[in-house]
Amino acid sequence: MTLKVGIVLSGGGAKGAFEAGALSVLLPYLRSNDMELCAIAGTSIGAFNGAFVASGQFGDLKDIWHSWDNHNCALTESGFLGPLFSLAVRGYMYRTPYKFLKENLKVERMMRSRIKYINTAVRLGDGQMYIGGNIKPKSDDLAIREILASMAPAPVTPSVKINGEEYVDGGFRDTVPTRALVDNCGEKLDRVYVISVNPKERIWNPAVTMGGTSSLLDRVQFAFNDILWDEALRNDLEWGQQYFQDDGSYVVVYPEVAHTTGANFSKVRISAAYAHGIEVMCGMLRS
């Protein structure tokens, strides 16, 4: 009997390279073991990665990750004078990668895919969740805007307008969108693989927490990452464990170490995170 499988991809910016590495092992494993990928849900960078999987462009996604660095990444384009100047003048640090998605993502194929694709965003006015993807017919422009909204951690990037209302990153409410997958995939799944970009254990920084000489930027980044770690572990991942009742059908894959931060697209760090995703997924599938 063919097992019906879903994949959940968490948010995390440049740490999405770990997801891409893990997917490079998981996707062929499913095909060779009589498992059907029925649905994929992602938030933020997970929404980006998931869109390319649903459109049948995982090969292109791998090339994209291997080509990016801090100087040419489509997710960190800020203009000639840099992100801080952009923040002061425009109110956001980086542009939304609309042009990049329009030129590189085969949106029509994504919308027609047999794989249900789901992404999440948050309505800025009242915090309500928005579910996007290919589960309902829509224009290519709207489909791209939904992905951009899911990837919009304002004020890092601007909010995205959908149907006249402003939306921001789904990770503000749903860092690991297991519930969105279950509620919107349209069928019962036999197994769900969750790829988290953050280690299972909290990453602690004594230079920040013990009153050291860390910069304001270091302290803000630590607080932001720690909040996301806590949100993912206590809410999103625990919900999935309770829903699937720990019967082996809910598999969470964690990095053992964090090779990069959400905003660091250094080619060396991206390559290390990608390779680590391969290593961890291979180990998990062998166990």
Side-chain angles (χ1 to χ4, degrees):
M1 183 182 70
T2 300
L3 290 180
K4 295 183 177 182
V5 173
I7 295 176
V8 179
L9 304 174
S10 72
K15 291 182 281 186
F18 174 83
E19 290 177 345
L23 286 168
S24 73
V25 175
L26 179 59
L27 295 176
Y29 173 84
L30 298 180
R31 290 193 294 269
S32 62
N33 285 273
D34 199 25
M35 299 182 189
E36 179 187 1
L37 177 57
C38 297
I40 187 164
T43 289
S44 200
I45 198 62
F48 178 90
N49 287 337
F52 281 89
V53 173
S55 67
Q57 294 179 263
F58 185 69
D60 294 334
L61 181 67
K62 289 195 292 185
D63 292 341
I64 288 167
W65 277 105
H66 288 309
S67 70
W68 275 348
D69 60 32
N70 282 326
H71 304 292
N72 73 349
C73 178
L75 309 186
T76 55
E77 292 183 356
S78 60
F80 178 71
L81 294 176
L84 294 181
F85 179 82
S86 178
L87 180 63
V89 173
R90 301 187 182 98
Y92 58 85
M93 297 172 68
Y94 304 114
R95 303 186 184 104
T96 56
Y98 181 92
K99 182 180 179 183
F100 180 87
L101 284 176
K102 188 172 179 60
E103 292 176 350
N104 291 277
L105 178 64
K106 296 178 180 177
V107 181
E108 289 186 7
R109 279 176 51 178
M110 182 193 80
M111 293 302 299
R112 296 195 308 266
S113 177
R114 62 174 179 77
I115 302 170
K116 296 288 179 62
Y117 165 62
I118 298 148
N119 57 49
T120 66
V122 177
R123 190 161 61 197
L124 194 56
D126 58 9
Q128 290 299 304
M129 292 298 298
Y130 177 95
I131 303 297
N134 66 5
I135 54 178
K136 293 180 181 179
K138 63 197 59 170
S139 68
D140 288 1
D141 177 74
L142 178 55
I144 290 175
R145 286 186 172 278
E146 289 176 345
I147 299 169
L148 296 175
S150 187
M151 298 172 63
V156 177
T157 63
S159 59
V160 176
K161 187 169 288 188
I162 297 175
N163 298 327
E165 297 186 278
E166 300 292 331
Y167 288 85
V168 294
D169 198 303
F172 288 129
R173 290 288 302 274
D174 199 7
T175 309
V176 185
T178 305
R179 189 178 321 202
L181 176 82
V182 170
D183 290 346
N184 295 281
C185 70
E187 57 188 315
K188 186 180 186 322
L189 300 170
D190 299 304
R191 185 173 300 170
V192 170
Y193 290 94
V194 177
I195 304 178
S196 172
V197 299
N198 294 309
K200 189 173 183 179
E201 301 300 326
R202 177 181 251 122
I203 300 174
W204 208 247
N205 186 347
V208 172
T209 58
M210 302 301 291
T213 58
S214 57
S215 67
L216 175 61
L217 181 61
D218 286 338
R219 294 196 295 273
V220 170
Q221 184 172 342
F222 169 79
F224 182 74
N225 287 333
D226 194 59
I227 289 168
L228 288 182
W229 175 89
D230 191 69
E231 164 70 15
L233 185 67
R234 294 180 184 274
N235 295 330
D236 306 329
L237 293 176
E238 284 188 359
W239 182 90
Q241 290 163 354
Q242 292 171 6
Y243 180 87
F244 289 97
Q245 299 180 343
D246 292 324
D247 62 358
S249 60
Y250 184 70
V251 181
V252 183
V253 181
Y254 301 94
E256 295 172 357
V257 294
H259 284 281
T260 188
T261 63
N264 190 340
F265 286 84
S266 154
K267 189 174 286 292
V268 172
R269 290 179 177 268
I270 290 296
S271 296
Y274 188 97
H276 189 52
I278 293 174
E279 175 190 22
V280 171
M281 184 59 77
C282 284
M284 189 277 295
L285 295 176
R286 282 197 300 265
S287 63

